[in-house]
Amino acid sequence: PGMLRPSRRADGLPAALLVLCALLGAGARAEGQQCTLDPSCALHCADGLPEQLAAGLNLSGFNKHFNANGYYAALDTEKGDAYYLLPCSAITSVTCADAMEGTPAALTSFADGGTSPPHMQGNCASCGMWSKQSCRIEINGMAFSIHCSYPGGSPGQRSLTVHYHCAEEYALPTAMQVDVAGVRTEYDITFRGPAVCPIGGGGGPGGGEEEGWGGLSWFSSLLLVLLGLAAVYIGVGYAYNKNVHGLSGTEALPHREFWLELPSVLSEACARTGREVRDVLRSWRRPAGVTEPLAPSDQPA
């Protein structure tokens, strides 16, 4: 499911392309494994985590971004209903008089006459029960997402699905409601943040966010380090050539001759590689038993 079917036979494709297609197809999507999310925000799966998440996965980074009251408040901008929840546990700091049974995964206060937390007296509901949680992982290449379902909301037939998606920065959760044939109500709440990203997020057995300096991603931090090293290399080399060899201006730049020759060296290497690739492609297209005609200088006398 979810994979495109080829519209033509692949018998004539090069072997390397077939291997690439197989690898992409194998890692394109893996989903359906039953998992649970515990109150510490660690994910546990019955058959173990997928290979891409072998180091573990922890969503506790979302716990650092509550509002002042210690929970998330999401707003359905279409219907105007408000939702109250925690990212990894049942909501207990907010109650609803219309849904007193069990521990809800989230509560909603209706736009029409709903009351405010922490103790909502009416026009509210439980979106789903935490005890009935069922989570699954969806992997698409190097990106993945988590989807947790919570049926059993009350009053009436209500169910909740909470989605966790990778994003560079944390954002307030978004919410929407779907009424199914006027009988069942389904809620979707979506979290986005680096805690769900394979690299630079909250993954890992220890949990929490893994960020670079000052909240930057590790890639941005590495780039800053490389730029700093380059500045030190140029500064120290320039000072050395100026004070020891008496050079000035561009003549004092460290290893000046090497850097001046580098473009031509790279150009020559690229040209040579291009010629070799063309020779290989030409040999693939040549029918069996047919040889390349000799150049005039190679013709026998």
Side-chain angles (χ1 to χ4, degrees), residues 32-38 43-46 105 128-137 146-152 159-164:
Q33 180 163 236
Q34 294 302 308
C35 307
T36 57
L37 190 63
D38 68 25
L43 191 71
H44 306 277
C45 299
M129 300 305 296
W130 177 263
S131 60
K132 299 183 178 182
Q133 178 201 83
S134 176
C135 299
R136 63 184 176 87
I137 301 175
I146 302 168
H147 311 274
C148 294
S149 300
Y150 304 91
S159 63
L160 166 69
T161 301
V162 182
H163 310 274
Y164 305 86

Side-chain angles (χ1 to χ4, degrees), residues 112-124:
D112 185 12
T115 54
S116 300
H119 305 297
M120 299 182 291
Q121 299 303 315
N123 291 313
C124 55

Side-chain angles (χ1 to χ4, degrees), residues 51-76:
E51 183 179 354
Q52 295 91 329
L53 305 176
L57 180 67
N58 192 295
L59 305 181
S60 59
F62 288 108
N63 284 329
K64 303 177 182 180
H65 298 271
F66 295 141
N67 63 20
N69 296 315
Y71 53 81
Y72 275 111
L75 180 66
D76 184 338

Side-chain angles (χ1 to χ4, degrees), residues 67-295:
N67 63 20
N69 296 315
Y71 53 81
Y72 275 111
L75 180 66
D76 184 338
T77 56
E78 181 178 347
K79 294 181 177 293
D81 298 340
Y83 300 85
Y84 308 100
L85 74 159
L86 297 173
C88 308
S89 60
I91 181 74
T92 57
S93 55
V94 180
T95 61
C96 169
D98 294 340
M100 297 298 295
E101 297 182 0
T103 52
L107 293 171
T108 180
S109 175
F110 307 134
D112 185 12
T115 54
S116 300
H119 305 297
M120 299 182 291
Q121 299 303 315
N123 291 313
C124 55
S126 164
C127 301
M129 300 305 296
W130 177 263
S131 60
K132 299 183 178 182
Q133 178 201 83
S134 176
C135 299
R136 63 184 176 87
I137 301 175
E138 182 175 298
I139 299 176
N140 212 342
M142 287 302 295
F144 62 89
S145 54
I146 302 168
H147 311 274
C148 294
S149 300
Y150 304 91
S154 63
Q157 300 183 34
R158 302 174 187 271
S159 63
L160 166 69
T161 301
V162 182
H163 310 274
Y164 305 86
H165 295 288
C166 172
E168 292 185 359
E169 297 180 353
Y170 288 100
L172 291 176
T174 57
M176 63 176 294
Q177 171 185 328
V178 179
D179 296 317
V180 181
V183 177
R184 188 172 74 254
T185 302
E186 297 180 354
Y187 303 94
D188 275 328
I189 298 179
T190 301
F191 285 92
R192 299 183 185 277
V196 199
C197 300
I199 300 174
E209 299 173 71
E210 296 181 6
E211 296 177 339
W213 297 335
L216 296 175
S217 68
W218 281 114
F219 176 79
S220 300
S221 300
L222 178 61
L223 184 59
L224 288 177
V225 170
L226 294 177
L227 290 175
L229 291 175
V232 171
Y233 163 74
I234 295 174
V236 172
Y238 188 93
Y240 177 83
N241 287 335
K242 181 178 181 180
N243 295 322
V244 175
H245 299 291
L247 302 177
S248 61
T250 58
E251 296 291 334
L253 291 175
H255 305 101
R256 178 175 178 273
E257 292 76 11
F258 169 79
W259 296 113
L260 290 177
E261 293 177 2
L262 184 61
S264 61
V265 172
L266 292 177
S267 177
E268 182 181 348
C270 291
R272 183 170 60 252
T273 302
R275 289 194 299 269
E276 293 177 355
V277 170
R278 284 195 298 271
D279 291 341
V280 171
L281 294 177
R282 190 179 298 116
S283 66
W284 283 359
R285 297 193 193 102
R286 190 183 310 137
V290 177
T291 59
E292 191 76 16
L294 295 175

